[in-house]
Amino acid sequence: MSELLPERAVLLRDHVREAAAGLRDAGMEIDRDPTAVDRWLHLPAVALMRGCTVPVEYVSSPLRIGPYTYDMSSCLEHTLTIEELSYGDAGFMLACPGPLMSGVAVGALGDDKQRHAYYQRLAGPEPTWTFFGLTEPGKGSAAAELETALTPDGDGFRLDGAKRYVGNAAFAQLGVVFCRRAPGPLGIEAVLVDTETPGFRAEPIPTVGMRGARISAITLDNVRVEREQILGYDTLKPSRRGLVGAIRTLQRFRPVLAGTALGLTRAVLDHVRAERPALAGAARQCLDDLQDRLDAARWHNYAIASAIDAGEVRADRIAAVKTRAAELAERATLAAAGLLGPGALLRDPWLHKVYRDARAFEFMEGTGHIQRLAVFQGVAKGTFLP
C-alpha cells in the first residue's frame, strides 16, 4: 500500500502508527468510563488529535518529520492519521480534544477573523473539545430540512432548537451549530457557539458502543448569537455557506470517517491472526477474503482523499467508500467472533468492545441509506463508473 502514497505521507503514517501503539488499554478504560480520557491527555496520540487541521503558525511545536511539517489539512494526511489512531483505538481517538469536524467547517466557511480566533483557542495550552451540531431529533442529518431556528433579535440573533447524536457536545467548550435563518436551502447558516453561553445545554446519551465519542443531545433555548459568529456571513454569498458548507464538510470528512472504520477493521483482522495463527481451510479463506476487501477499500479511500486534495470532489464515490468501509468493519467483527470460536465475545473483552464499536459507522456522518442514494444518483448519471 505504501507505493500508493507520497514519501511525506508514508513518514506521517509510520510516525502516527508508533503513537497509536498501546492505545488499547486506554480505549478499554474509556469504554468503561468515557470521562477517563482526562487521565490520558499526556499521550502523543492526543497531541496529534489536538493539532489535526490547525495551521502550523498557531502551534508552538508543529509536527515535523524529516524535511516535512504537518498540520493534516490535507484530506489524505488527515485520513491516514485517523486510520492509524483508530487501529490503536477508535473510541480513544474520538474522545480526544481537538477540531475534528468543526475544524473542517471553520476552515471551509470561516473568514480570516473567525479562523484566527478559532485556531488560537484550539492551539491554547488547555485542551479544547469541540462538536459538530448538524443532526436533529426529527430530521436526522438531512441538512436541507433543518428546523433549528436563528431568529433576528436586535443587532444579533437568538438560536432555538435541538440537536441529537452529536459527539462530545456535553463535554465540549466550542462547536458549530447548523441552523435555519430563512426558508429554503439558502437560509441555512453555520454558527460558532461557545457552550458557556446561557441557553446552551447538552447531556450524554447512553450508547452500547463507541462510548469514547460521548454522543450527546443538545438543547438550544434562546441562545444569543452575534453576527460575527455566523461563519462566512460577511465574506461568502448565501449560496456558498450554510447548506453548501455542511455538505462540503461532510464530503471532506467522509474519507476520514472511512479511515476510522478501516483502521478498526485492520486491527480486528490482525487480532484474529494473532489469536489463531494456525487457521486453515475455509476459516483461512474467510480471513484472506476480508484482507483483500480491506486492501481494496483502503486503496479507494486513499485515491478519493487524494482527489479531494486535488480539488476533485466526487460525492458518489465518497459515499461508496464510506459505505463499504462501514460494512467491512461490521463484517470483520462478525467474522472474528465466529473464527475465534464459541463464547469469543464473552472471553475476549477487546473483541467485545470493537464488535459494539463497529456498529456506529453505519450512522456516523450520514447513514448508509443516504450514502446509497448518492451512489444511485452517480450510477443514474453515468458518473459513478469510469
Side-chain angles (χ1 to χ4, degrees), residues 3 8 17 22 33 44 55 62 72 82 89 108 167 190 200 202 221 235 249 267 271 278 311 354 363:
E3 65 274 12
R8 63 172 283 139
R17 186 169 291 178
D33 172 15
M72 279 73 90
I82 297 300
D89 191 87
F200 181 97
D221 182 12
T235 54
T249 301
H271 183 70
V354 294
F363 305 100

Side-chain angles (χ1 to χ4, degrees), residues 5-320:
L5 302 173
E7 180 190 61
R8 63 172 283 139
V10 172
L11 290 175
L12 174 65
R13 181 200 63 188
D14 294 346
H15 175 85
V16 179
R17 186 169 291 178
E18 186 176 340
L23 288 186
R24 292 184 190 170
D25 287 344
M28 292 297 291
E29 183 177 354
I30 288 170
D31 183 59
R32 293 187 293 272
D33 172 15
T35 65
V37 67
D38 291 345
R39 294 193 283 274
W40 299 92
L41 296 178
H42 60 285
L43 294 181
V46 176
L48 285 167
M49 288 300 296
R50 290 185 64 182
C52 268
T53 73
V54 176
V56 294
E57 57 265 34
Y58 291 92
V59 182
S60 58
S61 300
L63 176 62
R64 292 194 174 92
I65 308 170
Y68 304 111
T69 303
Y70 300 85
D71 63 9
M72 279 73 90
S73 58
S74 149
C75 186
L76 175 63
E77 292 176 2
H78 197 185
T79 296
L80 283 169
T81 300
I82 297 300
E83 179 188 327
E84 293 301 328
L85 292 178
S86 298
Y87 180 87
D89 191 87
F92 178 89
M93 182 273 294
L94 291 170
C96 287
L100 269 178
M101 287 187 75
S102 74
V104 177
V106 172
L109 298 174
D111 59 35
D112 289 345
K113 189 174 179 181
Q114 290 167 333
R115 284 196 291 265
H116 178 72
Y118 177 85
Y119 294 138
Q120 266 200 325
R121 185 161 179 182
L122 267 292
E126 296 300 320
T128 300
W129 280 265
T130 64
F131 69 89
F132 182 82
L134 174 65
T135 305
E136 297 190 347
K139 301 295 182 181
S141 54
E145 301 179 22
L146 292 179
E147 293 182 341
T148 297
L150 187 67
T151 308
D153 182 24
D155 57 353
F157 299 85
R158 68 171 186 273
L159 189 60
D160 295 279
K163 299 289 179 182
R164 198 164 177 84
Y165 309 123
V166 182
N168 281 318
F171 303 89
Q173 291 80 46
L174 185 66
V176 175
V177 173
F178 285 85
C179 50
R180 182 174 294 286
R181 181 180 49 80
L186 300 185
I188 293 173
E189 304 284 4
V191 179
L192 263 177
V193 175
D194 189 309
T195 59
E196 293 294 320
T197 307
F200 181 97
R201 297 194 305 278
E203 57 185 12
I205 299 173
T207 59
V208 173
M210 206 59 87
R211 291 171 176 156
R214 303 192 287 191
I215 303 298
S216 307
I218 300 173
T219 301
L220 302 155
D221 182 12
N222 208 25
V223 175
R224 176 72 181 179
V225 172
E226 306 301 336
R227 198 174 96 163
E228 294 75 19
Q229 294 173 245
I230 301 176
L231 293 176
Y233 192 79
D234 292 324
T235 54
L236 296 175
K237 297 178 180 177
S239 59
R240 303 302 300 166
R241 60 179 199 259
L243 178 61
V244 171
I247 294 171
R248 287 172 60 188
T249 301
L250 290 170
Q251 289 176 335
R252 160 66 173 74
F253 203 78
R254 277 171 183 154
V256 179
L257 190 278
T260 308
L262 297 175
L264 182 146
T265 301
R266 187 156 56 90
V268 169
L269 300 187
D270 284 354
H271 183 70
V272 173
R273 275 189 281 266
E275 293 293 314
R276 297 288 303 276
L279 277 179
R284 172 59 61 180
Q285 189 174 9
C286 172
L287 195 60
D288 290 347
D289 175 68
L290 287 167
Q291 185 64 51
D292 288 344
R293 292 175 185 274
L294 171 62
D295 291 343
R298 290 178 76 204
W299 185 90
H300 283 293
N301 204 35
Y302 294 164
I304 287 168
S306 298
I308 290 174
D309 285 337
E312 183 184 353
V313 178
R314 296 285 301 274
D316 48 2
R317 295 186 182 183
I318 293 171

Side-chain angles (χ1 to χ4, degrees), residues 314 316 376-386:
R314 296 285 301 274
D316 48 2
F376 171 78
Q377 290 170 339
V379 172
K381 293 177 182 175
T383 60
F384 182 68
L385 298 174

